Amino acid sequence: MSAVLGYIQDCLGSCYICTMIKFLFAIAFCVCLFSSCVKDLQIDKQNPPGTGKPDSTETKSTIVAVGGAAQTDTVGNELINAVVLKINEPGSKLNKFFVKIFQETLCNGDSVAERTITNGDQISYKWRLNSKPGVQTLNFKIFDSNNNAIDSLKITATAISPAPGWHVASCTVPDNLYVNTFAIQSTGRLLVGYPGTWRPQYSDDNGVSWHSFKYSDIAYTNKIITGPNDEIYIAANNNSVYYSENGNKWEELTLGGYKYETCRDIALLPNGKLLYTSIGGGIFIRDKKNDPFVEIHASDKYKSMDFYYQASLANGDIYFRQISNFVPRLVKLDHNTLKVEDVTNLPVTYTNTFYVDDKGNWYVGGYNKVSASAELYRSDNNGITWNKLFSYAYSASFYDTSIFNFSKQVDGNYYFEIDAEYFKTADLKNFQKINMKVNSYSGQYVVAPNGNLVLSTFPRAISYLVQ
């Protein structure tokens, strides 16, 4: 019996030892498992899911720049070298990808261009800088056929402010199209109108870049003017006059029975009345908004005559440059008789510009057949006597040389054009010839608030001179 009890005690002791061993082993296993979990957690913290950082066994979609990065150019310019990118996704079963290119512009807001690219190939993109000096960014995003974003890349370029001299404006209409009209608002916004179906545009950066107004009806713009509250009037060559308070919403003004009188010119008179002239010689005036236009001069009385508004006097007389059979002359609409009369006692043979300043002084410019020169005169007594200010013989011209578009601009200088040359003066005594390194086309110009001379040029529609 005692032997049996001893055997049992030995077995119990042995089981106790086994149990202790198993218990210690379990504890060691848990410690190892916990250490492994902690290590895994640390790895996840360093590289959590969704970061797009695959390990060495995974493939990575890649879009890389192989040319055109880190360039420097003037604001508004198209970079000399195209930005060239290549896409390579090793091991991909896809062959076609879609690249969307985002660039911040001042033409029509943020623009998006799309390109289709085959795996392993390159794409080329011509990048035009906007008008903000500093570092600019071009963003590329690549998508698969299900429009899932795969990769992206950013390219930068440095835009510098324009140096003194001539520059080509950006975001304008295509080449070989000239400008019909410029205007400026009190805010400094510049306005421009073109012939044909191209919409008028505006610039908020002194003519560096241009935006298109959003509307569908206005085209064939002959003249743009602004009112005292920056409202805009447009004379359009599609038989209409348009009005807008801010350029966002437009309304066609009621012309009544004169709807088919194609508009040539438009002016807001000092007394607040709106005037427009039609192709063929019609003159129409409206007293105030929503009033009907009244025909002052019928277009069927004279053939092949166009009236271009020049100035108004305090007594109500309105002066026009009239073109008849290509011959210009100065006429006035008498405020008493409402008849069109020739202006006589002028010192030039052909009158191409007439201007009245805020002091009531008259300026007339044109061509003097006697001296065979372009000449500019001023009168301090309403045209009774004239003083010559400037004379210029343009020997390279094959036709009569004349002075056009005499006006005072926001920089305080007077400007005018003689054929393809431009002049300015601050005191009407010393005249500076502007260095022309561009080809002037139609002669239209405006000076921006910062002093840029914005000009209609050829073959590019608009250029600007940093003076």
Side-chain angles (χ1 to χ4, degrees), residues 33-46:
L33 180 63
F34 178 77
S35 299
S36 176
C37 290
V38 170
K39 185 177 180 181
D40 288 343
L41 287 173
Q42 291 173 344
I43 293 174
D44 288 344
K45 287 180 180 180
Q46 294 173 357

Side-chain angles (χ1 to χ4, degrees), residues 109-394:
D110 291 340
S111 62
V112 179
E114 296 191 11
R115 300 284 190 274
T116 302
I117 185 172
T118 301
N119 194 16
D121 287 345
Q122 297 179 354
I123 58 172
S124 177
Y125 184 77
K126 295 294 288 184
W127 183 11
R128 182 176 294 278
L129 301 174
N130 65 37
S131 63
K132 297 179 180 179
V135 176
Q136 299 184 16
T137 304
L138 190 64
N139 296 291
F140 295 84
K141 293 185 179 180
I142 184 168
F143 299 82
D144 61 19
S145 57
N146 294 319
N147 203 35
N148 296 316
I150 297 176
D151 206 350
S152 64
L153 181 69
K154 292 184 177 181
I155 300 294
T156 60
T158 302
I160 58 177
S161 299
W166 285 101
H167 302 270
V168 175
S170 62
C171 312
T172 63
V173 298
D175 291 355
N176 303 330
L177 190 65
Y178 58 90
V179 168
N180 268 350
T181 177
F182 281 113
I184 184 171
Q185 295 179 302
S186 65
T187 59
R189 169 173 284 186
L190 305 179
L191 310 173
V192 64
Y194 307 99
T197 58
W198 296 102
R199 297 177 178 179
Q201 294 184 305
Y202 64 91
S203 173
D204 290 327
D205 54 21
N206 299 296
V208 176
S209 62
W210 297 82
H211 313 251
S212 294
F213 283 113
K214 296 180 180 180
Y215 49 77
S216 59
D217 295 332
I218 306 178
Y220 301 93
T221 304
N222 281 334
K223 189 67 171 290
I224 299 178
I225 62 170
T226 61
N229 297 315
D230 282 339
E231 62 271 32
I232 306 171
Y233 296 87
I234 291 181
N237 197 10
N238 60 343
N239 309 332
S240 300
V241 176
Y242 292 88
Y243 165 82
S244 177
E245 290 184 356
N246 51 24
N248 296 324
K249 183 179 179 181
W250 296 82
E251 62 177 292
E252 183 179 356
L253 301 184
T254 302
L255 302 182
Y258 314 112
K259 180 174 177 60
Y260 299 104
E261 295 279 352
T262 302
C263 297
R264 170 62 76 191
D265 202 358
I266 193 171
L268 198 61
L269 304 179
N271 57 13
K273 295 182 179 182
L274 181 64
L275 173 148
Y276 84 89
T277 67
S278 67
I279 295 176
I283 300 176
F284 306 85
I285 293 180
R286 187 193 68 175
D287 285 342
K288 57 184 179 180
K289 188 177 180 181
N290 299 325
D291 280 356
F293 281 90
V294 176
E295 185 178 47
I296 304 301
H297 186 273
S299 61
D300 59 355
K301 291 183 180 179
Y302 300 96
K303 301 298 181 183
S304 301
M305 286 189 176
D306 289 333
F307 292 94
Y308 296 87
Y309 175 81
Q310 297 292 294
S312 298
L313 300 187
N315 65 0
D317 290 346
I318 304 172
Y319 287 75
F320 299 90
R321 171 176 170 253
Q322 185 193 59
I323 304 294
S324 179
N325 296 321
F326 303 102
V327 176
R329 59 177 182 168
L330 187 66
V331 299
K332 75 172 182 179
L333 178 66
D334 188 272
H335 71 284
N336 288 319
T337 64
L338 296 182
K339 300 293 184 181
V340 174
E341 305 172 354
D342 286 341
V343 178
T344 59
N345 192 36
L346 294 175
V348 291
T349 310
Y350 303 130
T351 304
N352 276 307
T353 186
F354 178 73
Y355 179 78
V356 179
D357 66 18
D358 54 4
K359 297 180 180 179
N361 299 315
W362 292 16
Y363 300 84
V364 65
Y367 172 71
N368 190 329
K369 199 170 183 178
V370 176
S371 63
S373 300
E375 294 180 346
L376 176 68
Y377 292 81
R378 180 176 66 188
S379 174
D380 302 331
N381 50 18
N382 297 330
I384 298 175
T385 58
W386 295 92
N387 299 311
K388 183 187 293 187
L389 301 176
F390 181 82
S391 180
Y392 186 72
Y394 191 54

